[in-house]
Amino acid sequence: MRPAGTPRELRGKVAVVTGGAGGIGLAMGRAFAAEGMRVVLADVEETALAKAAAELGALGVPADVTSAESMEALAARVYEAYGAVHLLCNNAGVGPAAAPPLWEQEIGDWSWGLDVNVVGVLHGLRAFVPRMLAGGEDGHIVNTASGNGGVAPIPSAAVYAVTKAAVVTLSECLYGQLDGTPLDVSVLFPGPHMVRTGIFTAERNRPERFARTVPGPPARTADEVAEAMRAHGLEPAFTPAEEVAAQVVAGVREGRFWILPPSERTDSMIDARAASMRGRSAPGYLRR
Ligand SMILES: NC(=O)c1ccc[n+]([C@@H]2O[C@H](COP(=O)([O-])OP(=O)(O)OC[C@H]3O[C@@H](n4cnc5c(N)ncnc54)[C@H](O)[C@@H]3O)[C@@H](O)[C@H]2O)c1
């Protein structure tokens, strides 16, 4: 059963992080290692993965979240090494650089986004949850969503928003389905601001099978995105990845479902969306 009010002990427990070779995943790995956890990092970027695993003294396992076989092999490898998993972070994520209107967005963009951001989480659950339940120990699953889609969509980034909205709903369903078991569930909204990571250049990991028929625009780095925002009179803000990782540690300890950092802007969007639904009024909360 979910323990009520008892902070979860992390020391000595086993954590698996997909997309763990860089960005928020690596920051989580660092934070978990600092808590005395045994850390497993999984990623498609093998060079970065080896470097990250060496830095943390973690087990680094090359794995592709879009492949059932690869995720099954990851779970088998982790159970062979440690015999248990207590914290599973389904964190790997991508976003296509091309963000045209929905009726012009290529299906390859959709297939790639859905395969990594949504089916990737499902592969993680299918490979690990049966083993975690069979082990009978307390455990926790953290799925990485985004305020874009999870709170309200940014219409100009529809693929990403739709996939992250799906991660929230999937996590709510998972929470309901795991009620009464020793496994807890959280959904993570990194932020409250953008996090300066490789997500902005996620195109580097797009497999050939999801290639666009017409080349998309070049991916822009976080700093280039910030520059473009300034050009439109907006002041970009970034949340350090370490801060997100600290929010995850606290959220897991406290068994919180919503790992959603305090933000007046986010809260006002949640309220405006709820008010729009209750009032059957137009979605005036949509962001550009
Ligand atoms: N950076 C932000 O501002 C922000 C905001 C909200 C949500 N997020 C989410 O946070 C998560 C982590 O992203 P990040 O910002 O650290 O970006 P990142 O690009 O630095 O990290 C993502 C990692 O996922 C890996 N990856 C990509 N495809 C994969 C696959 N098929 N299988 C396994 N690994 C794969 C990449 O190699 C990379 O190491 C993502 O789910 C992202 O959508 C990021």
Side-chain angles (χ1 to χ4, degrees):
M1 295 291 286
R2 287 193 182 112
T6 4
R8 177 150 288 155
E9 178 58 49
L10 300 180
R11 184 159 296 280
K13 302 287 175 63
V14 179
V16 177
V17 185
T18 68
I24 294 165
L26 176 54
M28 282 198 246
R30 286 186 179 123
F32 299 156
E35 293 292 329
M37 299 188 84
R38 290 173 285 170
V39 177
V40 181
L41 303 176
D43 207 291
V44 284
E45 289 189 348
E46 297 196 18
T47 307
L49 177 66
K51 189 163 167 257
E55 177 203 316
L56 300 188
L59 176 62
V61 183
D64 180 349
V65 298
T66 69
S67 158
E69 294 72 29
S70 179
M71 291 302 284
E72 177 57 31
L74 167 66
R77 177 78 187 87
V78 178
Y79 273 80
E80 179 192 275
Y82 296 128
V85 168
H86 307 93
L87 176 56
L88 169 66
C89 296
N90 289 307
N91 167 75
V94 296
L102 281 164
W103 54 95
E104 290 171 9
Q105 187 102 40
E106 291 207 4
I107 293 302
D109 293 336
W110 280 106
S111 306
W112 179 45
L114 288 163
D115 218 26
V116 177
N117 295 0
V118 184
V119 180
V121 176
L122 296 172
H123 284 318
L125 299 179
R126 289 173 58 81
F128 284 94
V129 172
R131 287 174 163 95
M132 291 168 82
L133 287 173
E137 295 184 60
D138 285 351
H140 205 120
I141 298 152
V142 178
N143 298 325
T144 303
S146 170
N148 178 10
V151 171
I154 298 178
S156 60
V159 172
Y160 190 76
V162 168
T163 62
K164 292 302 183 177
V167 172
V168 175
T169 303
L170 183 162
S171 302
E172 290 173 307
C173 294
L174 183 67
Y175 183 93
Q177 292 177 1
L178 287 174
D179 201 16
T181 76
L183 302 189
D184 225 327
V185 178
S186 299
V187 61
L188 167 67
F189 296 75
H193 307 296
M194 295 183 289
V195 188
R196 194 182 267 105
T197 67
I199 193 74
F200 301 93
T201 54
E203 289 285 347
R204 69 192 185 279
N205 287 316
R206 185 195 288 245
E208 194 48 42
R209 67 184 186 280
F210 298 130
R212 292 176 54 85
T213 59
V214 176
R220 293 180 300 178
T221 63
D223 288 327
E224 286 165 345
V225 169
E227 206 42 58
M229 286 175 73
R230 279 190 204 97
H232 284 88
L234 300 167
E235 195 41 51
F238 288 98
T239 301
E242 299 71 41
E243 214 170 289
V244 176
Q247 292 160 10
V248 174
V249 168
V252 169
R253 270 199 198 296
E254 295 159 19
R256 258 190 291 120
F257 177 76
W258 301 106
I259 305 184
L260 178 59
S263 157
E264 276 178 33
R265 186 163 176 268
T266 303
D267 289 354
S268 69
M269 270 190 312
I270 294 170
D271 292 345
R273 190 182 200 193
S276 161
M277 291 176 84
R278 271 202 315 273
R280 277 73 177 162
S281 56
Y285 53 85
L286 292 175
R287 295 174 285 169
R288 301 251 159 242

